[in-house]
Amino acid sequence: MTGRGRTMNTSTTDASTVIIGAGHAGLAMSRRLTERSIDHVVLERGEVAHSWRTERWDSLRLLTPNWQSQLPGFRYSGGDPDGYMTMPEVIGFISDYAAAIDAPVLTETAVTRVGVTDDGYRVTTDRGSWSCATVVLASGACNIASVPSLATAVPTAILMLTPMSYRSPDELDDRGVLVVGASATGVQLADEIHRTGRPVTIAVGEHVRLPRIYRGRDIQWWMDAAGILDERQDQVDDLVRARNLPSPQLIGTSDRRSIDLNMLHELGVEIVGRMGSMRDGVAQFSGGLANTCRLADLKMNRLLDRLDGWAADVALDDAETPHRFRPTELATAPPLEFDLRRRGIGTIIWATGYHPDFSWLDVPVLDRKGRIRHHGGIVDEAPGMYLLGAHLLRRRRSSFIHGAERDTDDLATSLHDHLDHQRSLHAL
Ligand SMILES: Cc1cc2nc3c(=O)[nH]c(=O)nc-3n(C[C@H](O)[C@H](O)[C@H](O)COP(=O)(O)OP(=O)(O)OC[C@H]3O[C@@H](n4cnc5c(N)ncnc54)[C@H](O)[C@@H]3O)c2cc1C
């Protein structure tokens, strides 16, 4: 079922469940509801896998290996399990999944409001409304690029981009580029742009350093096998902090190389501290860069200690011997400020994270920071409303493609119980 060619419909349709969003998470939930014979519809403002089609840069590859791309009843079946999917491959994977599970997706149907009714929710779209007992918010965690307010003080002659508007270095002029943020996105873009010959500076705040390969195996293999990705939200000490951690410095390439600040420094990328302020075209950077990097090295080594401990416990005998990576080494005195124009900066890329867009949600479930209040995806004080795809929703793997498999199973069970309960109340 697709929305193409349909005429404008202003009527209201009933469904037990409306799923908002046909990314991998919404589709996985659709499959779980079909398994439980729950009638539902998936509403999608664009096409299936819309965010992968429209919001990613050209050279991006998944940082999770192909063998890890698995959804309920579906998994990667190509000939390169240790490779990393390109964007067309991700789009193909998710579209094939939608077809394989025969998901009831209505494409080109944007949800404009979700409100409460006496017996559930009313979901309004630009193509009619749905009345439903339960609603699943699978509209994504990365709908809007987060840009700090100091961006408003950037001189107008400088082009500002985000990872959602950047496509490739070909679109940039020959002037220097300042990348703000050193998560997976920031380091990947600094690397890519510097290789085209443009001078690149990267402003580095808190970051997560990880090697691509450790003791001969992909770091994702280690995290998976050692059970780290299965740690539940109620097992994590500081959940708010853990949910806001930046993505690890990883890249998916055919040579399975690592990407870190040492590598960027050796390439010739200039590394400065976190951007703290901007005034009269002068950007100022934190002097705490060395400490920030020491902390990232320390945390990486703690993780490797934990992996080594696990490997010893399970007597893993086919891995290479434990070793440690060179600490982060930086220029002795990175600049604490520079005038963007005098430096020849022509472009700033704000690789400073993303946040979801729930502007259409007319139900009081958001906290002061605009985040949904929930426990493991069961939305607080909104019976029958569920959330998917958020960081550490239920487990560390929740925001990855492979995280949907177990999360949707748990939440579909909860949703099923809710519908049963509602039916029994109506039968009284
Ligand atoms: C740059 C980047 C790299 C990533 N790399 C990896 C990786 O290597 N491996 C991995 O496993 N994960 C990766 N992720 C994380 C994760 O897989 C993605 O965020 C994923 O897209 C989340 O899936 P989702 O189904 O929750 O949301 P999305 O894929 O964003 O799907 C949400 C859907 O909802 C639709 N929608 C939104 N609002 C509305 C509305 N109002 N009405 C109707 N439809 C709406 C959107 O059009 C979209 O199709 C990456 C994420 C990003 C941003």
Side-chain angles (χ1 to χ4, degrees):
M1 178 166 38
T2 81
R4 281 169 182 259
R6 285 179 308 119
T7 50
M8 178 73 183
N9 175 4
T10 52
S11 64
T12 299
T13 312
D14 289 328
S16 292
T17 305
V18 169
I19 299 173
I20 303 171
H24 77 268
L27 295 170
M29 191 60 161
S30 170
R31 155 79 192 224
R32 293 302 191 196
L33 298 189
T34 302
E35 283 168 5
R36 290 164 174 80
S37 303
I38 297 172
D39 68 288
H40 65 280
V41 62
V42 185
L43 303 179
E44 167 54 54
R45 64 180 168 182
E47 290 180 65
V48 165
H50 181 72
S51 57
W52 297 102
R53 291 174 196 274
T54 60
E55 296 171 357
R56 311 281 191 255
W57 61 97
D58 295 348
S59 66
L60 178 63
R61 283 172 180 257
L62 290 189
L63 48 78
T64 43
N66 291 334
W67 57 262
Q68 217 169 23
S69 290
Q70 51 191 66
L71 290 164
F74 197 76
R75 55 174 52 235
Y76 173 82
S77 58
D80 184 18
D82 294 325
Y84 309 92
M85 285 186 204
T86 61
M87 285 308 99
E89 287 166 344
V90 178
I91 295 162
F93 179 77
I94 297 175
S95 303
D96 288 351
Y97 184 57
I101 63 172
D102 199 15
V105 182
L106 281 182
T107 56
E108 313 293 340
T109 306
V111 172
T112 53
R113 182 177 178 273
V114 173
V116 182
T117 60
D118 288 345
D119 48 5
Y121 299 94
R122 184 180 172 91
V123 178
T124 310
T125 76
D126 54 358
R127 294 179 172 240
S129 298
W130 273 261
S131 170
C132 55
T134 53
V135 62
V136 179
L137 312 176
S139 49
C142 303
N143 308 116
I144 300 174
S146 303
V147 175
S149 55
L150 55 81
T152 54
V154 171
T156 48
I158 293 173
L159 174 70
M160 288 199 282
L161 296 172
T162 70
M164 296 175 92
S165 55
Y166 170 85
R167 286 291 169 272
S168 84
D170 299 343
E171 295 172 342
L172 310 180
D173 63 27
D174 291 336
R175 291 179 292 168
V177 177
L178 172 60
V179 177
V180 184
S183 64
T185 302
V187 293
Q188 288 183 28
L189 298 188
D191 179 39
E192 163 167 298
I193 296 167
H194 189 83
R195 286 172 195 274
T196 65
R198 292 171 179 83
V200 174
T201 302
I202 183 166
V204 176
E206 183 184 6
H207 57 277
V208 178
R209 183 180 176 198
L210 281 186
R212 177 78 271 174
I213 303 294
Y214 181 57
R215 297 177 61 184
R217 293 175 192 253
D218 197 293
I219 194 69
Q220 292 289 344
W221 179 87
W222 284 98
M223 306 272 282
D224 213 317
I228 292 172
L229 294 175
D230 286 321
E231 274 172 13
R232 293 192 322 267
Q233 28 111 34
D234 54 3
Q235 296 172 316
V236 173
D237 285 341
D238 184 346
L239 185 57
V240 173
R241 186 176 148 67
R243 281 183 170 155
N244 286 302
L245 275 182
S247 57
Q249 291 175 336
L250 286 174
I251 187 169
T253 58
S254 50
D255 59 359
R256 304 170 84 202
R257 68 183 165 93
S258 292
I259 189 165
D260 60 21
L261 297 180
N262 281 342
M263 180 236 134
L264 292 179
H265 181 56
E266 274 151 27
L267 265 186
V269 172
E270 179 176 50
I271 297 171
V272 297
R274 185 175 195 277
M275 189 189 276
S277 71
M278 171 87 60
R279 193 181 302 163
D280 300 328
V282 176
Q284 293 190 313
F285 306 100
S286 160
L289 177 63
N291 277 342
T292 307
C293 294
R294 261 195 296 276
L295 197 63
D297 290 349
L298 183 81
K299 285 185 178 166
M300 175 177 72
N301 288 334
R302 269 197 206 138
L303 175 74
L304 299 182
D305 289 346
R306 184 173 167 189
L307 298 177
D308 291 337
W310 168 80
D313 287 348
V314 299
L316 188 75
D317 53 12
D318 60 348
E320 293 166 9
T321 46
H323 60 94
R324 291 294 170 264
F325 297 86
R326 193 158 58 87
T328 306
E329 286 160 14
L330 304 166
T332 35
L336 295 179
E337 64 172 43
F338 54 67
D339 184 302
L340 294 168
R341 280 167 295 202
R342 281 202 212 126
R343 255 298 148 129
I345 301 288
T347 306
I348 296 181
I349 302 181
W350 299 103
T352 34
Y354 305 87
H355 57 275
D357 177 13
F358 291 118
S359 54
W360 37 267
L361 191 53
D362 195 7
V363 184
V365 292
L366 302 179
D367 68 14
R368 278 184 302 114
K369 294 196 168 170
R371 295 173 301 215
I372 302 257
R373 285 180 279 108
H374 70 96
H375 283 84
I378 301 172
V379 178
D380 294 354
E381 294 164 47
M385 181 177 279
Y386 301 88
L387 175 68
L388 280 174
H391 291 288
L392 238 160
L393 182 90
R394 297 184 69 80
R395 303 173 172 85
R396 284 203 190 272
R397 66 171 81 235
S398 286
S399 56
F400 291 108
I401 290 172
H402 52 96
E405 195 164 29
R406 286 178 221 171
D407 286 4
T408 52
D409 199 21
D410 297 345
L411 291 178
T413 301
S414 174
L415 187 152
H416 184 261
D417 292 349
H418 175 81
L419 289 175
D420 266 1
H421 180 65
Q422 266 204 333
R423 276 189 208 112
S424 61
L425 287 179
H426 283 133
L428 287 177

